[in-house]
Amino acid sequence: MPLDLTASSVDLTRAICDIPSVSGDEQTLADAIEAAVAPLAHLEVIRHGNTIVARTDLGRAQRVVIAGHIDTVPINENLPTRDIEIDGEAFLWGRGTVDMKSGTAVQLKLAAELVDPVIDITWMWYDNEEVEASKNGLGLLAAVRPDLFAADFAILGEPSNGEVEGGCNGTLRAIVRTVGVRAHSARAWVGDNAIHRAAPILSRLAEYQAREIPVDGLLYRESLSAVRIAGGVAGNVIPDACEVEVNYRFAPNKNAAEAEAHVRGVLAGFEVEITDAAEGARPGLDAPIAQEFVAAVGAEPRPKYGWTDVARFSALGIPAVNYGPGDPHLAHHDQERVPLAQIDAVERGLRAWLTAR
């Protein structure tokens, strides 16, 4: 079904949410977005895989990148979308309404309507954000067209409750292993139980005190958590191996090497393999253009605890923030839902900044 960019942002949210686009299956939605923006004379449209870029070229003194991912985590009987009311407030319920198709819908509407913005805009709608970094459409585009990322400021439409969330925490994953000796469970004393050997690992993680670290005026909260445990051979065998997967969310005052050193310190005495790490992003709110944006949308800056693609822009020296409708706590939730009023408010905020003179 064609996308109608003259519709309201709320109706556009319904339309793009009802086109399933679980990570790896975004082509139908990418095709619809490309078809909708390609006829717009004020935009240069570029496609790379299932990532769509649309740019103004008005010769403005500054340029902003405004980006949103078009994929979702797997659907769990939460499509098609539906309208619901909770305590008198209207919501749109369904997969992607929060993370982050409502933000993408706002962007699509403004991309169509803002033919004469006060700042040049590069709109980016990309695939595979919810999976491993090697598949991320934004990263793949940057590898072949770094010129498209030239900008003075970047905004990611990630859910932020309609507030501005500066920067983001970094994330590190590690596998912590224990080894033992197999034996028949009826003669357990002959063996050495690797799962039991993991108990100190879990104790250290359970007792870990999350730190709050101020970075450029925002207070980031860290966490170190077990997210998966695997071990066991059979119901009558003492296991000889156990793995605990650990995720460390670290403040943007440290790099990946410092984060790794911290994890290894907490888990000293155990075999630790680092499997993935992505550095965070400092808030970047000291840049004049960022301050102008925050003032225009009337938001109170907050820290972003989760990792987002603002980190890609921060690594390029571009200050970046998260600004979108939806409660981050409901991202990926089976009761994912976005307040209709927040969709409208984010549209007004972005429009005001991009057209103010």
Side-chain angles (χ1 to χ4, degrees):
M1 179 182 296
L3 296 178
D4 178 8
L5 300 189
T6 67
S8 70
S9 291
V10 169
D11 287 340
L12 270 174
T13 302
R14 290 190 185 95
I16 64 175
C17 284
D18 286 340
I19 300 175
S21 59
V22 174
S23 302
D25 190 28
E26 299 96 332
Q27 183 170 341
T28 299
L29 180 54
D31 289 346
I33 290 172
E34 182 183 26
V37 298
L40 301 174
H42 64 285
L43 295 174
E44 175 193 10
V45 177
I46 301 135
R47 180 164 181 167
H48 181 260
N50 287 324
T51 294
I52 313 298
V53 178
R55 304 172 72 250
T56 65
D57 190 11
L58 302 170
R60 303 297 193 231
Q62 292 178 303
R63 177 175 291 276
V64 61
V65 172
I66 303 179
H69 65 82
I70 63 173
D71 62 320
T72 71
V73 297
I75 298 163
N76 187 24
E77 299 182 355
N78 47 9
L79 281 185
T81 55
R82 67 173 186 261
D83 291 284
I84 64 172
E85 185 175 301
I86 300 176
D87 296 329
E89 185 174 9
F91 291 82
L92 183 65
W93 173 96
R95 176 64 77 227
T97 52
V98 169
D99 193 10
M100 56 159 283
K101 289 184 175 178
S102 55
T104 297
V106 168
Q107 295 169 6
L108 284 167
K109 182 169 181 61
L110 293 178
E113 294 184 356
L114 300 184
V115 299
D116 188 31
V118 297
I119 185 170
D120 269 314
I121 309 169
T122 300
W123 305 96
M124 293 181 174
W125 302 291
Y126 61 101
D127 61 331
N128 280 310
E129 189 271 349
E130 298 289 4
V131 291
E132 57 267 34
S134 62
K135 296 181 179 179
N136 184 291
L138 209 59
L140 295 176
L141 178 66
V144 297
R145 291 293 307 271
D147 57 299
L148 295 177
F149 289 76
D152 301 281
F153 186 48
I155 301 168
L156 272 290
E158 291 283 355
S160 63
N161 262 326
E163 300 292 340
V164 173
E165 292 185 331
C168 68
N169 274 339
T171 180
L172 178 148
R173 289 183 175 83
I175 300 295
V176 190
R177 295 187 175 91
T178 59
V179 296
V181 177
R182 290 193 193 189
H184 196 296
S185 60
R187 302 171 183 83
W189 58 90
V190 177
D192 186 355
N193 195 312
I195 292 179
H196 292 180
R197 282 183 170 272
I201 299 171
L202 300 179
S203 293
R204 292 185 199 181
L205 295 174
E207 295 166 2
Y208 183 81
Q209 296 295 310
R211 295 177 297 178
E212 292 186 333
I213 299 175
V215 182
D216 298 344
L218 297 182
L219 193 63
Y220 291 84
R221 185 183 176 110
E222 298 192 327
S223 63
L224 180 63
S225 309
V227 294
R228 185 183 65 86
I229 187 165
V233 180
N236 60 352
V237 178
I238 298 301
D240 62 344
C242 182
E243 294 184 343
V244 180
E245 184 174 1
V246 173
N247 184 210
Y248 178 37
R249 299 290 175 144
F250 57 94
N253 68 320
K254 60 177 66 68
N255 59 32
E258 292 167 330
E260 176 180 345
H262 179 72
V263 170
R264 291 189 182 279
V266 172
L267 298 171
F270 292 95
E271 178 189 344
V272 178
E273 177 191 358
I274 306 301
T275 59
D276 183 47
E279 294 183 357
R282 300 183 78 92
L285 294 171
D286 53 345
I289 190 172
Q291 294 173 3
E292 291 166 6
F293 168 71
V294 170
V297 301
E300 182 70 27
R302 300 175 181 178
K304 186 72 170 178
Y305 296 133
W307 187 92
T308 76
D309 279 305
V310 296
R312 297 185 186 277
F313 293 96
S314 180
L316 295 171
I318 302 168
V321 299
N322 305 279
Y323 178 63
D327 182 349
H329 292 95
L330 291 175
H332 306 181
H333 198 285
D334 285 344
Q335 293 302 315
E336 187 173 354
R337 60 188 183 272
V338 62
L340 304 191
Q342 269 190 18
I343 299 175
D344 292 334
V346 168
E347 180 190 332
R348 287 194 304 271
L350 275 176
R351 187 188 298 274
W353 181 62
L354 293 168
T355 59
R357 283 180 167 80

